[in-house]
Amino acid sequence: MTKRVAVMFAIALVTVAVSAQQAQSPEQKPPAAKSQAGFGPPPNQAAPPTKDSAVPSPEKYGFTEALKKLQGEDGSTHLLHTTVPPLVLAPTPSVGPRSKEVPRDFVVKRDVPLTATAQEAVGVSRQWQNGQNIPAPGKDGRVVYVYGAGMPVMVCSPLHICVIELQPGEKIVGEPQIGDSVRWDISPAIAGSGEDAMPLIVLKPLQAGLDTTMMIPTDRRAYYLRLQSKPDDYLARVAFAYPEDQGQQWRQYARQQENADRQLKEEQRQQGKQTRVLPDAVDAVYWDYQIKGGDPTMRPTRVLDDGVKTYIQMPLATQRTEAPVLVVNGPDGAEMVNYRVKDDVYIVDRLFNRAALIVGVGKHARKVEITRKTEIGAPGKKTEEKGGGL
């Protein structure tokens, strides 16, 4: 195409030159006017052109040499070998008014060199991010990550919701921060009520192929997760295991055991004091009761009566367990008797020779037998130790 244009350009130049020559030929010019003297050309008029002064032919202009310069030896034009210089990215102009303290040739850096300390820190962080935090299956379809063992990965899909479950009783103290807040939809939710309510984070990606990170601040810890979106794959529920809490639970259990031991010792000490004081303070009290069976949590520490009512003092541990049933062996056989509770004392509004405290039913029942060694209304007569239906 370029060759054809060059040839046409040369032909046009030749045509213009020939036309100019024909315009100046003597046949087309009007005859020269005679001078008033009759001879020679008129004054101030050029002589007619001679053969030597004719317009030169097109060969004298050197069109052939010019055409050869425009074309190569093989007929290809030099224009085809012309190269376009590459584009140079100019610095982006600053937006807004420039401060007088900033030089005019200042260019914002798109990258900065890192020191050895910074590079080491980046390596440590990358090692944690790429660490193996192997998930484990949980109940109800949960995928369980170990908190702190590595960066958990949350895989979601458009048109599906992904739920992040935090520890029950934990409270979110701020809005979750996400690297891509435009193409990810985040909303809070809660399951349960009261102190054991479970906070939830619901995620919905707007498209597939997204990869970003998110941080969730709570009153106990900060969660840092990686979010990825796939066309079809997604995790419905993600939860966490907390190894540090297990150690705290064991320490709390040990403290509770120590407190229970101290409380039990204090109860025994107080009971010892009361044992020494009551006989001196109450003159009309009968103390001689025999107590058999049961375990320390339901066995009375003492049984006494004042001739009208019977008082059964129980250990303090009974207040935290199931209350026993009182069965009395009366004239008509065994019968269940009601009692009132005041502090650690069961008050029965009658006297009896034999009774039993029973917890549970069937073969798993536990029983404590109470026997009045001196029968009611028969001073000096000992009560026989026999079953009697109890």
Side-chain angles (χ1 to χ4, degrees):
M1 181 68 182
T2 307
K3 178 180 178 181
R4 183 181 301 176
V5 172
V7 173
M8 293 177 64
F9 178 74
I11 294 173
L13 290 178
V14 173
T15 305
V16 172
V18 172
S19 301
Q21 182 179 5
Q22 292 176 355
Q24 297 296 330
S25 61
E27 291 81 78
Q28 297 180 359
K29 288 186 178 181
K34 295 182 179 180
S35 62
Q36 296 178 358
F39 301 99
N44 300 328
Q45 184 175 355
T50 63
K51 184 181 291 185
D52 296 335
S53 62
V55 177
S57 63
E59 287 77 5
K60 294 184 179 182
Y61 286 100
F63 293 118
T64 304
E65 289 76 5
L67 183 61
K68 288 182 178 181
K69 290 182 180 181
L70 293 175
Q71 297 178 346
E73 293 298 334
D74 55 353
S76 61
T77 179
H78 291 284
L79 297 176
L80 297 178
H81 300 282
T82 304
T83 58
V84 180
L87 296 177
V88 178
L89 183 61
T92 305
S94 60
V95 180
R98 181 185 292 270
S99 174
K100 296 181 180 180
E101 299 178 358
V102 179
R104 292 186 174 276
D105 57 350
F106 174 77
V107 179
V108 179
K109 294 183 178 180
R110 298 184 180 274
D111 197 2
V112 293
L114 297 180
T115 63
T117 302
Q119 293 177 353
E120 184 70 20
V122 171
V124 172
S125 178
R126 185 178 293 111
Q127 183 178 5
W128 178 81
Q129 296 174 20
N130 300 329
Q132 286 288 337
N133 190 352
I134 301 176
K139 63 179 182 179
D140 300 333
R142 292 180 177 89
V143 176
V144 181
Y145 285 103
V146 177
Y147 176 80
M151 179 181 288
V153 180
M154 190 74 181
V155 181
C156 299
S157 176
L159 303 180
H160 296 85
I161 63 172
C162 298
V163 179
I164 301 176
E165 301 180 1
L166 307 183
Q167 191 176 28
E170 197 170 11
K171 294 180 177 58
I172 300 176
V173 297
E175 181 180 357
Q177 302 296 319
I178 186 171
D180 186 356
S181 60
V182 176
R183 296 177 293 179
W184 286 86
D185 186 11
I186 307 176
S187 58
I190 193 169
S193 60
E195 296 181 356
D196 295 332
M198 178 187 298
L200 307 175
I201 300 295
V202 181
L203 298 174
K204 290 182 290 185
L206 301 183
Q207 66 185 65
L210 304 179
D211 191 350
T212 187
T213 54
M214 181 179 66
M215 190 274 293
I216 306 173
T218 70
D219 58 346
R220 299 178 182 177
R221 55 186 65 88
Y223 297 83
Y224 197 79
L225 302 93
R226 182 176 182 178
L227 308 182
Q228 294 180 324
S229 62
K230 300 283 288 182
D232 300 314
D233 302 330
Y234 68 97
L235 306 180
R237 305 172 69 179
V238 167
F240 295 89
Y242 307 94
E244 72 279 4
D245 288 355
Q246 296 180 1
Q248 295 178 359
Q249 291 174 0
W250 281 109
R251 289 190 292 269
Q252 183 178 2
Y253 175 77
R255 288 194 296 268
Q256 291 176 351
Q257 290 294 104
E258 293 177 358
N259 294 335
D261 293 341
R262 286 196 297 266
Q263 185 177 1
L264 180 60
K265 291 179 180 179
E266 180 65 20
E267 292 174 1
Q268 293 175 352
R269 188 175 65 85
Q270 294 295 335
Q271 291 172 0
K273 289 182 179 179
Q274 294 177 2
T275 302
R276 291 189 297 270
V277 171
L278 286 177
D280 298 336
V282 181
D283 297 333
V285 172
Y286 180 82
W287 298 87
D288 200 5
Y289 281 86
Q290 184 181 18
I291 302 172
K292 294 172 54 179
D295 55 67
T297 62
M298 62 174 296
R299 184 183 299 118
T301 57
R302 65 181 56 82
V303 179
L304 55 91
D305 67 76
D306 58 0
V308 179
K309 300 178 182 180
T310 304
Y311 303 88
I312 304 173
Q313 188 173 17
M314 303 294 292
L316 294 179
T318 308
Q319 300 178 6
R320 299 185 294 270
T321 61
E322 181 182 358
V325 176
L326 178 63
V327 178
V328 173
N329 187 15
D332 300 328
E335 57 179 331
M336 189 170 61
V337 177
N338 295 328
Y339 56 84
R340 302 192 309 275
V341 180
K342 184 176 181 180
D343 296 333
D344 58 342
V345 178
Y346 295 172
I347 303 174
V348 185
D349 293 331
R350 57 173 290 182
L351 303 179
F352 55 80
N353 292 324
R354 298 185 72 254
L357 294 171
I358 303 174
V359 176
V361 295
K363 62 180 181 179
H364 300 293
R366 296 174 295 164
K367 181 173 66 173
V368 176
E369 296 182 356
I370 304 173
T371 304
R372 196 176 195 272
K373 293 185 177 181
T374 302
E375 291 186 1
I376 301 171
K381 184 178 180 180
K382 298 295 184 181
T383 303
E384 297 181 2
E385 297 182 0
K386 56 183 179 179
L390 294 179

